[in-house]
Amino acid sequence: DAGITQSPRHKVTETGTPVTLRCHQTENHRYMYWYRQDPGHGLRLIHYSYGVKDTDKGEVSDGYSVSRSKTEDFLLTLESATSSQTSVYFCAISESRERINEQFFGPGTRLTVL
Amino acid sequence: SQQGEEDPQALSIQEGENATMNCSYKTSINNLQWYRQNSGRGLVHLILIRSNEREKHSGRLRVTLDTSKKSSSLLITASRAADTASYFCATDARAAGNKLTFGGGTRVLVKP
Protein backbone atom coordinates (compact mmCIF):
# COMPACT_ATOMS: atom_id res chain seq x y z
CA ASP A 1 0.00 0.00 0.00
CA ALA A 2 1.11 3.54 -0.68
CA GLY A 3 1.94 5.40 2.51
CA ILE A 4 -1.45 6.97 3.09
CA THR A 5 -3.25 6.96 6.42
CA GLN A 6 -6.58 8.43 7.37
CA SER A 7 -7.82 9.33 10.82
CA PRO A 8 -10.12 8.61 12.38
CA ARG A 9 -11.17 5.40 10.61
CA HIS A 10 -14.65 5.52 12.08
CA LYS A 11 -16.60 8.39 13.59
CA VAL A 12 -20.14 8.88 14.83
CA THR A 13 -21.22 12.44 15.43
CA GLU A 14 -24.36 14.50 15.82
CA THR A 15 -25.95 16.92 13.40
CA GLY A 16 -24.54 20.41 13.75
CA THR A 17 -21.16 19.45 15.19
CA PRO A 18 -17.88 20.24 13.41
CA VAL A 19 -15.84 17.31 12.15
CA THR A 20 -12.30 17.19 10.79
CA LEU A 21 -10.87 14.23 8.91
CA ARG A 22 -7.15 13.93 8.37
CA CYS A 23 -5.20 12.43 5.51
CA HIS A 24 -1.48 11.89 5.96
CA GLN A 25 0.95 10.71 3.27
CA THR A 26 4.59 9.74 3.41
CA GLU A 27 5.10 9.63 -0.39
CA ASN A 28 5.80 13.36 -0.89
CA HIS A 29 3.20 13.39 -3.67
CA ARG A 30 2.09 16.79 -4.86
CA TYR A 31 -1.62 16.14 -5.47
CA MET A 32 -4.12 15.11 -2.81
CA TYR A 33 -7.85 14.50 -3.10
CA TRP A 34 -10.88 13.95 -0.92
CA TYR A 35 -13.73 11.78 -2.23
CA ARG A 36 -16.94 10.51 -0.74
CA GLN A 37 -18.40 7.14 -1.63
CA ASP A 38 -22.11 6.49 -1.46
CA PRO A 39 -24.19 3.58 -2.78
CA GLY A 40 -25.25 4.19 -6.36
CA HIS A 41 -22.93 7.17 -6.82
CA GLY A 42 -19.47 5.67 -6.95
CA LEU A 43 -16.78 8.09 -5.80
CA ARG A 44 -17.36 11.80 -6.06
CA LEU A 45 -14.65 14.40 -5.71
CA ILE A 46 -15.13 16.87 -2.85
CA HIS A 47 -11.94 18.97 -2.95
CA TYR A 48 -8.42 18.53 -4.15
CA SER A 49 -5.03 20.12 -3.63
CA TYR A 50 -2.25 20.67 -6.14
CA GLY A 51 0.27 21.93 -3.63
CA VAL A 52 0.69 23.41 -0.19
CA LYS A 53 -2.01 26.03 0.34
CA ASP A 54 -3.34 25.38 -3.19
CA THR A 55 -6.79 23.81 -3.19
CA ASP A 56 -9.83 23.76 -5.42
CA LYS A 57 -13.39 22.54 -5.37
CA GLY A 58 -14.63 19.29 -6.78
CA GLU A 59 -18.04 18.06 -7.81
CA VAL A 60 -19.66 18.00 -4.34
CA SER A 61 -17.87 20.67 -2.30
CA ASP A 62 -20.84 22.35 -0.59
CA GLY A 63 -20.65 21.97 3.18
CA TYR A 64 -16.96 21.03 3.13
CA SER A 65 -13.71 22.94 3.47
CA VAL A 66 -10.11 21.78 3.22
CA SER A 67 -6.68 22.92 4.25
CA ARG A 68 -3.18 21.89 3.32
CA SER A 69 -0.45 23.58 5.32
CA LYS A 70 2.11 20.83 4.74
CA THR A 71 2.81 18.53 1.82
CA GLU A 72 1.99 15.47 3.88
CA ASP A 73 -1.34 16.52 5.42
CA PHE A 74 -4.69 17.30 3.84
CA LEU A 75 -7.58 18.06 6.19
CA LEU A 76 -11.26 17.87 5.36
CA THR A 77 -13.63 19.82 7.62
CA LEU A 78 -17.37 19.62 7.90
CA GLU A 79 -18.19 22.89 9.63
CA SER A 80 -21.64 21.75 10.72
CA ALA A 81 -22.29 18.10 9.94
CA THR A 82 -25.60 17.04 8.42
CA SER A 83 -27.12 13.59 7.99
CA SER A 84 -26.57 13.84 4.22
CA GLN A 85 -22.83 13.83 4.91
CA THR A 86 -23.00 10.32 6.31
CA SER A 87 -20.66 8.51 3.96
CA VAL A 88 -17.32 6.82 3.53
CA TYR A 89 -14.57 9.34 2.84
CA PHE A 90 -11.44 8.46 0.90
CA CYS A 91 -8.26 10.40 0.53
CA ALA A 92 -6.11 9.86 -2.55
CA ILE A 93 -2.74 11.08 -3.76
CA SER A 94 -0.99 11.32 -7.10
CA GLU A 95 2.61 12.01 -7.85
CA SER A 96 2.87 14.66 -10.50
CA ARG A 97 1.14 16.51 -13.26
CA GLU A 98 2.36 13.89 -15.73
CA ARG A 99 0.94 11.05 -13.61
CA ILE A 100 -1.86 13.10 -12.18
CA ASN A 101 -4.52 10.50 -12.68
CA GLU A 102 -2.75 7.44 -11.33
CA GLN A 103 -4.14 7.83 -7.87
CA PHE A 104 -3.40 5.89 -4.71
CA PHE A 105 -6.10 5.64 -2.10
CA GLY A 106 -6.17 5.59 1.67
CA PRO A 107 -8.20 3.06 3.67
CA GLY A 108 -11.20 5.35 4.15
CA THR A 109 -13.09 6.94 7.05
CA ARG A 110 -16.63 5.85 7.78
CA LEU A 111 -18.58 8.86 9.09
CA THR A 112 -22.06 8.60 10.54
CA VAL A 113 -23.98 11.78 11.32
CA LEU A 114 -26.97 11.16 13.58
CA SER B 1 -23.21 13.30 -12.80
CA GLN B 2 -21.33 10.10 -13.52
CA GLN B 3 -19.18 10.02 -16.60
CA GLY B 4 -18.67 6.25 -16.42
CA GLU B 5 -21.43 3.71 -16.03
CA GLU B 6 -20.52 0.09 -15.36
CA ASP B 7 -22.49 -2.88 -16.53
CA PRO B 8 -23.50 -5.22 -15.01
CA GLN B 9 -23.92 -3.83 -11.51
CA ALA B 10 -23.24 -7.27 -10.07
CA LEU B 11 -21.70 -10.48 -11.38
CA SER B 12 -21.43 -13.93 -9.82
CA ILE B 13 -19.16 -16.58 -11.34
CA GLN B 14 -17.37 -19.79 -10.43
CA GLU B 15 -13.67 -19.88 -9.79
CA GLY B 16 -11.79 -20.47 -13.02
CA GLU B 17 -14.36 -18.72 -15.21
CA ASN B 18 -13.76 -15.41 -16.93
CA ALA B 19 -15.42 -12.22 -15.72
CA THR B 20 -16.25 -9.40 -18.10
CA MET B 21 -17.57 -5.99 -17.16
CA ASN B 22 -18.20 -2.94 -19.26
CA CYS B 23 -17.95 0.80 -18.81
CA SER B 24 -19.67 3.40 -20.94
CA TYR B 25 -18.95 7.11 -20.82
CA LYS B 26 -20.38 10.26 -22.30
CA THR B 27 -17.66 12.67 -23.39
CA SER B 28 -14.29 12.37 -25.11
CA ILE B 29 -11.58 11.21 -22.74
CA ASN B 30 -7.83 11.48 -22.31
CA ASN B 31 -7.59 8.07 -20.68
CA LEU B 32 -9.64 5.50 -18.80
CA GLN B 33 -8.62 3.55 -15.75
CA TRP B 34 -9.89 0.55 -13.84
CA TYR B 35 -9.69 0.25 -10.07
CA ARG B 36 -10.50 -2.59 -7.67
CA GLN B 37 -11.97 -2.17 -4.20
CA ASN B 38 -12.04 -4.99 -1.71
CA SER B 39 -14.71 -4.80 0.97
CA GLY B 40 -13.91 -2.13 3.54
CA ARG B 41 -10.76 -1.01 1.78
CA GLY B 42 -9.63 1.80 -0.49
CA LEU B 43 -9.38 1.58 -4.25
CA VAL B 44 -6.39 0.00 -5.92
CA HIS B 45 -5.27 1.11 -9.36
CA LEU B 46 -5.29 -1.78 -11.85
CA ILE B 47 -4.65 -0.47 -15.32
CA LEU B 48 -4.74 2.70 -17.42
CA ILE B 49 -5.53 2.80 -21.12
CA ARG B 50 -4.99 5.95 -23.15
CA SER B 51 -7.45 7.24 -25.71
CA ASN B 52 -5.15 6.25 -28.59
CA GLU B 53 -4.84 2.65 -27.35
CA ARG B 54 -7.30 -0.13 -28.15
CA GLU B 55 -6.19 -2.95 -25.91
CA LYS B 56 -3.95 -3.44 -22.91
CA HIS B 57 -2.95 -6.43 -20.81
CA SER B 58 -1.69 -6.79 -17.27
CA GLY B 59 -1.36 -10.33 -15.95
CA ARG B 60 -4.85 -11.86 -16.03
CA LEU B 61 -6.45 -8.51 -16.88
CA ARG B 62 -7.35 -7.42 -20.37
CA VAL B 63 -8.80 -3.99 -21.06
CA THR B 64 -10.23 -2.81 -24.34
CA LEU B 65 -11.26 0.68 -25.33
CA ASP B 66 -13.58 1.64 -28.18
CA THR B 67 -13.64 5.42 -28.41
CA SER B 68 -16.17 5.37 -31.25
CA LYS B 69 -18.65 3.64 -28.94
CA LYS B 70 -17.38 5.45 -25.84
CA SER B 71 -16.99 2.17 -24.02
CA SER B 72 -14.39 0.00 -22.34
CA SER B 73 -14.37 -3.55 -21.06
CA LEU B 74 -12.38 -5.27 -18.35
CA LEU B 75 -11.83 -9.01 -18.65
CA ILE B 76 -10.47 -11.03 -15.76
CA THR B 77 -9.39 -14.45 -16.97
CA ALA B 78 -9.28 -17.62 -14.86
CA SER B 79 -10.87 -15.88 -11.91
CA ARG B 80 -9.94 -16.66 -8.33
CA ALA B 81 -11.83 -16.22 -5.07
CA ALA B 82 -9.41 -13.38 -4.29
CA ASP B 83 -10.79 -11.46 -7.29
CA THR B 84 -14.03 -10.96 -5.35
CA ALA B 85 -14.29 -7.17 -5.16
CA SER B 86 -15.96 -4.15 -6.71
CA TYR B 87 -14.45 -2.83 -9.92
CA PHE B 88 -14.69 0.79 -10.98
CA CYS B 89 -13.87 2.56 -14.19
CA ALA B 90 -12.67 6.14 -13.99
CA THR B 91 -12.35 8.57 -16.87
CA ASP B 92 -10.09 11.55 -17.28
CA ALA B 93 -11.72 14.05 -19.60
CA ARG B 94 -11.07 17.66 -20.47
CA ALA B 95 -14.81 18.31 -20.01
CA ALA B 96 -14.36 17.31 -16.35
CA GLY B 97 -11.39 19.60 -15.82
CA ASN B 98 -8.98 16.70 -16.31
CA LYS B 99 -10.02 15.20 -13.00
CA LEU B 100 -11.09 11.60 -12.53
CA THR B 101 -14.79 10.77 -12.70
CA PHE B 102 -15.80 7.37 -11.35
CA GLY B 103 -18.63 5.08 -12.29
CA GLY B 104 -20.86 3.26 -9.82
CA GLY B 105 -18.92 0.01 -10.01
CA THR B 106 -19.50 -3.67 -10.71
CA ARG B 107 -19.59 -6.05 -7.74
CA VAL B 108 -17.93 -9.32 -8.63
CA LEU B 109 -18.37 -12.47 -6.56
CA VAL B 110 -16.12 -15.41 -7.40
CA LYS B 111 -17.39 -18.59 -5.79
CA PRO B 112 -14.88 -21.29 -4.89
Side-chain angles (χ1 to χ4, degrees):
Chain A
D1 289 343
I4 311 169
T5 56
Q6 293 184 230
S7 59
R9 294 292 315 280
H10 301 270
K11 185 169 183 66
V12 179
T13 191
E14 294 187 350
T15 297
T17 59
V19 176
T20 295
L21 308 182
R22 181 184 184 231
C23 176
H24 179 78
Q25 59 141 331
T26 58
E27 305 296 324
N28 200 36
H29 281 11
R30 177 180 173 187
Y31 296 86
M32 299 186 75
Y33 311 83
W34 276 108
Y35 292 91
R36 58 179 290 172
Q37 185 176 33
D38 304 289
H41 288 278
L43 274 79
R44 292 180 292 174
L45 182 65
I46 304 171
H47 282 280
Y48 66 101
S49 169
Y50 44 96
V52 173
K53 295 191 184 341
D54 290 324
T55 65
D56 206 348
K57 296 178 180 179
E59 180 187 356
V60 289
S61 59
D62 287 349
Y64 302 94
S65 62
V66 290
S67 65
R68 189 165 178 206
S69 59
K70 299 184 289 184
T71 298
E72 57 266 36
D73 288 326
F74 193 31
L75 303 181
L76 177 70
T77 297
L78 292 65
E79 300 289 349
S80 178
T82 66
S83 59
S84 65
Q85 293 176 311
T86 292
S87 186
V88 181
Y89 291 85
F90 287 97
C91 173
I93 63 175
S94 59
E95 182 176 0
S96 63
R97 186 175 184 82
E98 291 71 33
R99 301 182 68 177
I100 192 168
N101 278 320
E102 187 173 345
Q103 296 185 13
F104 300 93
F105 283 79
T109 293
R110 183 172 295 276
L111 176 68
T112 302
V113 183
L114 301 175
Chain B
S1 61
Q2 290 174 212
Q3 161 78 316
E5 298 280 350
E6 285 95 338
D7 169 58
Q9 290 189 330
L11 181 60
S12 180
I13 57 174
Q14 293 293 136
E15 206 165 24
E17 293 180 342
N18 295 342
T20 299
M21 60 210 84
N22 304 295
C23 171
S24 60
Y25 56 92
K26 299 172 185 172
T27 65
S28 295
I29 60 172
N30 299 318
N31 59 62
L32 184 145
Q33 303 176 54
W34 287 91
Y35 285 80
R36 184 188 74 233
Q37 183 181 34
N38 292 92
S39 180
R41 305 289 295 274
L43 277 72
V44 175
H45 182 266
L46 294 177
I47 196 165
L48 180 151
I49 187 165
R50 302 191 186 284
S51 60
N52 61 353
E53 297 176 311
R54 292 297 167 258
E55 187 170 313
K56 206 160 183 180
H57 296 256
S58 176
R60 294 183 295 111
L61 304 180
R62 173 177 166 251
V63 170
T64 62
L65 179 64
D66 186 334
T67 53
S68 66
K69 295 181 179 178
K70 291 187 171 59
S71 68
S72 173
S73 67
L74 171 66
L75 168 66
I76 305 172
T77 60
S79 63
R80 306 167 181 168
D83 294 327
T84 293
S86 291
Y87 293 82
F88 295 86
C89 68
T91 55
D92 163 20
R94 182 171 294 182
N98 296 324
K99 293 183 286 294
L100 285 187
T101 306
F102 287 83
T106 293
R107 295 188 309 279
V108 175
L109 172 63
V110 181
K111 294 179 281 188

